[in-house]
Amino acid sequence: MTTSRGARLVRQVGAGVGEAVLATVVAVVVVAVGLIAFSLVQWPAFNSSNVVRALTTVGQVGAAALIAGSIALLRLRRSRRLAKLLSWTGISAFVTITLGMPLAATKLYLFGISVDQEFRTEYLTRLTDSAALRDMTYADLPPFYPAGWFWLGGRVANVLGMDGWEVFKPYAIGSIAVAAVVSLVLWTRLIRTDWAVGVTSAVTAVAVTYAAPEAYGAVIAILLPPVLVLAWGALYRPAELTRTADKSGGQATAGGWAAVVGTGLFLGVAAACYTLYFAFAVFTVTLMAVVAAGLGLRARYAARTPRRIATHTGESHAPVGSAGQAIGAPLLRLIVMGVIAALVALPVFLPFLVRMLDRPTLQSGGAFHYLPEAGSELPLPMMHFSLLGALCLIGVIWLVMRANSSRRAQSLGLGVIAVYLWSLLSMLATVAGSTLLSFRLEPVLLVLLAAAGGFGFVEGARAVYQALDEPARFRWVAIALATVGALAYCQDIPHVLAPEITTAYTDTDGDGNRADQRDPSAVRHYRNIDDALRAQTGREPSENVVLTGDTTFLAYYPYFGFQGMTSHYANPLADYADRSAAIEEWSEKETPGELLDAMRAAPWRAPDAFLFRRSGDEYTLRLAADVYPNDPNVKRYTVAFPAKLFDDPRFTTTDIGPFALVVVKR
């Protein structure tokens, strides 16, 4: 790489990062102002009133007006700085209003503390308690699941003085808004700015609808479409196969190396936040490199005939690079992307990798043991009779029609193809007793097709406009159609997310309250349990290990657990099945002494306390077993301990609500 090209690389990357930082600041301010304003009013619950739905619609219209104003200024080439500010404000306001307003009366995020949100909240609680990279559940183990998003959330919680469970909602909304404006900044570096605003708005709306419950996944999904365009620009550079490229102005850019750096940074962030999306992104970028090499070879061999003719006639002809160059150039760039990604992600995975040196064989692959109906068939959203289905269908038509002439279509098309290849591979993996969790890529497919649909609508409208001999009012017809369609889709988002929003109101939060003002669950006793544990052990929560089947307690308070909620979220180093077997063996002991001896003999740190449910003369807890390939893939079962096992001075038993708290005296 020459000095001038290196300087251009630094300038391009620096300018992009600087603008992304400014956009991030705007998004954070908008989210903070919006959520604080929402919290000042006592709103009715989403599941019992339409008030917040109505105000959400009003807010969405306001955000759409800001976005439309930005696009108008950009098309008129006026006040570009104001247009940027309006676009950043409008898109981040849309995210804040669409998610924040329906959740305004609850402290919980989408899906509350139920299902997968339980382990996510537990992880955030763990990393709020300490910045050290520790497993969400098990003491003395490094984390297996990527900690990036949760670690940063923990620091946000520390700055705001909030508990992990409480910061989850504002942090999730804020991170999605930030991802949206950073995506916009990236799009503006790749395409026309007015198109960038429109496409980013479409992608953000779809991601909020279908990816928002998994907030860290939504962050990666929103960024993926422009990153794929960026990656394709880095890997497929046909002009550089001719040795005269530099003479024709090839040095006017950084030669695609800024795109290499940007793609590598994204892959590193993806690896630090979400392993599945990282693996898919690597799969897609690798596919791009293979296709780029194939196209390079085809171009080289296609040029052999003209070159022979030029040799015989004495005419000059641009020389074409060798086959090694056609293959080696994308391969080199792919390797550099991988090195950058590894450097970014290494701090997150290093503790786990170091621990694996002592134990190279992992016990469980349970994280991949899930095959719902959606994972057993190919997703075809373009065939759905809906606004989103129509947008996806337009996207498919555009991808096919522009496959030979548009690098945007080529990159997004390869992303779509990669989703379907991944889905087929996931189905094949069932033969080996596993899956690739392809159903979780449906939001990725939707955002890719939404981006393609946005391009298809704009280019299709222009084609129709020209075909109709450019009628004066046609542009207003296209604008009206786009506006009505966008508003119709956006105001339906709360309806699509209604189950997730309702759960946030019906679950009991860490303060012991239900946002719908109904009687809280047994979670309301958790605060008293925490007080008793602190008083009886004399230690902080993070210094205690608790064995309980009520694992939501570990999501609200940073106690370590002896056993996780299911094997699918358990650390592979934790010996999930062996721990469950040990718990069952402990329940069969005859005397307190035998129980204590068995606990001391276990290869793991023994529980400092048990949190049971009372059931007559027994104390019970519920465990989970992996029953894949069945769907549901988890079987719940109860383990009962005779109360007499704890009738000993070495145990302290306290009844709190329906719970029996048993503390082991040390």
Side-chain angles (χ1 to χ4, degrees), residues 221-244:
I222 289 172
L223 291 169
L224 187 61
V227 168
L228 292 185
V229 177
L230 189 72
W232 185 238
L235 295 168
Y236 182 51
R237 305 184 67 81
E240 294 187 1
L241 290 176
T242 60
R243 296 169 189 168
T244 58

Side-chain angles (χ1 to χ4, degrees), residues 268-533:
V269 171
C273 294
Y274 196 175
T275 307
L276 177 63
Y277 281 10
F278 162 69
F280 171 75
V282 170
F283 177 73
T284 305
V285 173
T286 303
L287 176 64
M288 286 181 167
V290 172
V291 173
L295 291 176
L297 288 174
R298 187 183 72 170
R300 178 183 181 277
Y301 287 111
R304 298 177 82 179
T305 299
R307 290 174 66 192
R308 288 170 179 166
I309 294 174
T311 300
H312 287 295
T313 61
E315 298 176 0
S316 62
H317 192 276
V320 179
S322 65
Q325 182 183 358
I327 298 173
L331 177 61
L332 174 62
R333 292 166 186 263
L334 183 66
I335 292 173
V336 173
M337 291 176 188
V339 171
I340 295 172
L343 292 175
V344 173
L346 188 60
V348 174
F349 289 99
L350 185 60
F352 184 83
L353 295 175
V354 170
R355 181 62 66 89
M356 275 191 63
L357 295 177
D358 297 329
R359 183 181 172 182
T361 303
L362 303 181
Q363 182 191 68
S364 172
F368 298 98
H369 289 179
Y370 187 34
L371 183 65
E373 184 178 358
S376 63
E377 53 192 24
L378 294 175
L380 298 170
M382 69 290 294
M383 294 292 100
H384 295 174
F385 190 74
S386 65
L387 283 171
L388 180 58
L391 182 64
C392 291
L393 183 59
I394 292 172
V396 170
I397 294 171
W398 179 78
L399 289 174
V400 174
M401 293 188 66
R402 296 276 275 141
N404 288 331
S405 57
S406 169
R407 294 173 70 82
R408 288 172 286 125
Q410 291 164 358
S411 55
L412 295 175
L414 286 170
V416 171
I417 290 171
V419 171
Y420 286 112
L421 289 176
W422 189 279
S423 297
L424 292 173
L425 289 173
S426 180
M427 295 176 199
L428 285 174
T430 58
V431 177
S434 188
T435 75
L436 298 180
L437 302 177
S438 61
F439 69 96
R440 293 198 181 277
L441 292 181
E442 188 166 351
V444 172
L445 176 64
L446 291 174
V447 297
L448 292 174
L449 290 177
F455 290 125
F457 179 83
V458 173
E459 294 187 10
R462 183 171 58 185
V464 173
Y465 173 67
Q466 294 171 345
L468 296 178
D469 200 21
E470 302 183 358
R473 308 298 296 177
F474 182 82
R475 291 183 179 180
W476 289 106
V477 172
I479 291 172
L481 184 62
T483 301
V484 171
L487 291 177
Y489 178 84
C490 291
Q491 71 177 8
D492 191 53
I493 294 176
H495 295 274
V496 176
L497 291 175
E500 291 90 340
I501 298 172
T502 299
T503 305
Y505 281 89
T506 56
D507 279 357
T508 303
D509 65 28
D511 291 331
N513 301 316
R514 270 181 57 159
D516 60 1
Q517 305 303 313
R518 289 174 171 79
D519 291 337
S521 68
V523 170
R524 68 182 183 274
H525 297 289
Y526 283 176
R527 186 182 298 276
N528 294 333
I529 294 170
D530 175 53
D531 291 340
L533 274 167

Side-chain angles (χ1 to χ4, degrees), residues 21 71 75 157 272 645:
V21 170
I71 294 175
R75 292 188 65 83
L645 272 181

Side-chain angles (χ1 to χ4, degrees), residues 9 30 38 58 125 155 210 305 332 436 495 505 556 566-567 649:
L9 169 63
V30 170
F38 297 160
V58 173
T125 295
R155 308 293 66 75
Y210 295 99
T305 299
L332 174 62
L436 298 180
H495 295 274
Y505 281 89
Y556 285 131
T566 74
S567 63

Side-chain angles (χ1 to χ4, degrees), residues 91-139:
I91 288 176
S92 53
F94 170 79
V95 175
T96 304
I97 292 163
T98 303
L99 293 175
M101 191 68 244
L103 295 170
T106 177
K107 291 185 177 182
L108 299 178
Y109 186 58
L110 299 173
F111 260 137
I113 198 73
S114 298
V115 199
D116 290 1
Q117 223 66 305
E118 180 184 323
F119 93 85
R120 295 170 190 147
T121 306
E122 182 183 358
Y123 208 175
L124 187 52
T125 295
R126 172 71 55 229
L127 293 177
T128 297
D129 180 65
S130 171
L133 292 179
R134 299 184 293 182
D135 186 78
M136 68 185 89
T137 300
Y138 301 101

